Amino acid sequence: MADKTVDQLPRRTYEKELLRLQTELVKLQEWVRAEGARLIVVFEGRDAAGKGGTIQRVTQYLNPRLARIVALPKPTGRERTQWYFQRYVEHLPAAGEIVLFDRSWYNRAGVEHVMGFCTQEEYQRFLRQCPIFERMLVEDGIVLRKYWFSVSDAVQQERFRRRLEDPLRRWKLSPMDLESIIHWEEYSRAKDTMFVHTDIPEAPWYVVESDDKRRARLNMIAHLLASVPYQNVPPPVLELPEPPPSTGYERPPRDLQTYVPDHSATL
């Protein structure tokens, strides 16, 4: 892929619009809860394309009881013998829930296929079954949105370098991530084939250009909000009660409890 030059969105502009969109996400969550709707958002794309950071911004102010992130590890020996979609089904939302898949069943069309973790027969079966599976979800009333985060090879490698040098983000970089550099074209072909089979009218793919993470986050969230016909649900009226009069309670002496040392006093 040719290198891209993208001007980074100014931080002040980004933070102001992000807060506005996050406020709308809270309204979306309340509508999902009130209506008993079920929403799935699938995040896919290249390694270091910005999926995780976007998910963090989406969920930052949401109720974790209503909005869940699903990021499954590699399948166990038992799960490998199941129907491929089976372990994902148990994580689907119930009424009033939002589920965000940080990678999803599309692992089979990407890393499993490119790195040889599945057979050709399993891969072809996935391409046949996936559109059927997703049509079943939509037919049952689930709102399904699928986002592919697209990043150029030059930007991806630069992000890998920063992760390698940053002790706080070093854990994000795995040997499998580095393999994606070597297999860039194979992953590109796999993605193109995946789109041919799974970009269906009932559940289309939406591509997010993510060389600038700030723009990618705003664009993805704005599109999600625009694509779901949510409405503002008035919150319940709450009033703080007056504290009752004291009944003579006395706090136990401090020396009967163990306190965390005051580390801040040493700064």
Side-chain angles (χ1 to χ4, degrees), residues 42-179:
V42 170
F43 293 79
E44 291 287 346
R46 300 273 190 179
D47 295 315
K51 301 180 295 298
T54 304
I55 292 172
Q56 290 177 7
R57 273 66 178 186
V58 170
T59 59
Q60 185 172 358
Y61 297 107
L62 300 185
N63 184 342
R65 295 185 178 89
L66 302 179
R68 294 184 285 112
I69 301 172
V70 177
L72 299 184
K74 66 180 182 180
T76 64
R78 180 177 182 273
E79 287 172 334
R80 292 191 191 97
T81 68
Q82 296 175 342
W83 176 48
Y84 177 72
F85 295 94
Q86 187 169 335
R87 75 180 189 133
Y88 295 99
V89 168
E90 63 178 294
H91 297 283
L92 298 180
E97 293 181 346
I98 301 171
V99 174
L100 299 96
F101 280 95
D102 186 356
R103 295 202 180 277
S104 64
W105 46 87
Y106 282 101
N107 279 338
R108 176 137 295 177
V111 63
E112 290 191 16
H113 170 58
V114 172
M115 301 306 298
F117 298 151
C118 68
T119 67
Q120 188 65 18
E121 180 183 359
E122 289 171 331
Y123 171 65
Q124 292 297 333
R125 186 186 306 130
F126 170 84
L127 294 179
R128 292 194 304 271
Q129 290 186 349
C130 184
I132 300 173
F133 173 67
E134 292 181 352
R135 287 188 181 103
M136 291 173 64
L137 298 180
V138 175
E139 183 180 347
D140 202 61
I142 291 177
V143 179
L144 175 60
R145 296 293 180 268
K146 304 185 306 191
Y147 293 97
W148 176 270
F149 283 71
S150 177
V151 63
S152 65
D153 51 355
V155 171
Q156 183 193 52
Q157 291 187 44
E158 177 57 30
R159 290 175 183 173
F160 282 163
R161 291 191 190 96
R162 290 202 298 266
R163 288 181 180 183
L164 193 61
E165 299 167 356
D166 186 348
L168 296 179
R169 296 188 296 170
R170 179 64 179 80
W171 64 270
K172 290 186 174 184
L173 195 60
S174 69
M176 195 60 61
D177 294 328
L178 301 182
E179 287 286 336

Side-chain angles (χ1 to χ4, degrees), residues 5-77:
T5 301
V6 178
D7 293 331
Q8 189 176 52
L9 192 68
R11 178 173 293 277
R12 179 173 294 184
T13 303
Y14 162 71
E15 291 179 346
K16 180 179 179 180
E17 179 61 7
L18 177 62
L19 184 59
R20 186 189 73 80
L21 293 174
Q22 288 174 324
T23 303
E24 291 300 314
L25 285 170
V26 173
K27 296 178 183 179
L28 169 65
Q29 170 192 258
E30 289 305 302
W31 175 82
V32 168
R33 179 194 58 79
E35 293 294 318
R38 293 170 292 168
L39 173 60
I40 294 174
V41 186
V42 170
F43 293 79
E44 291 287 346
R46 300 273 190 179
D47 295 315
K51 301 180 295 298
T54 304
I55 292 172
Q56 290 177 7
R57 273 66 178 186
V58 170
T59 59
Q60 185 172 358
Y61 297 107
L62 300 185
N63 184 342
R65 295 185 178 89
L66 302 179
R68 294 184 285 112
I69 301 172
V70 177
L72 299 184
K74 66 180 182 180
T76 64

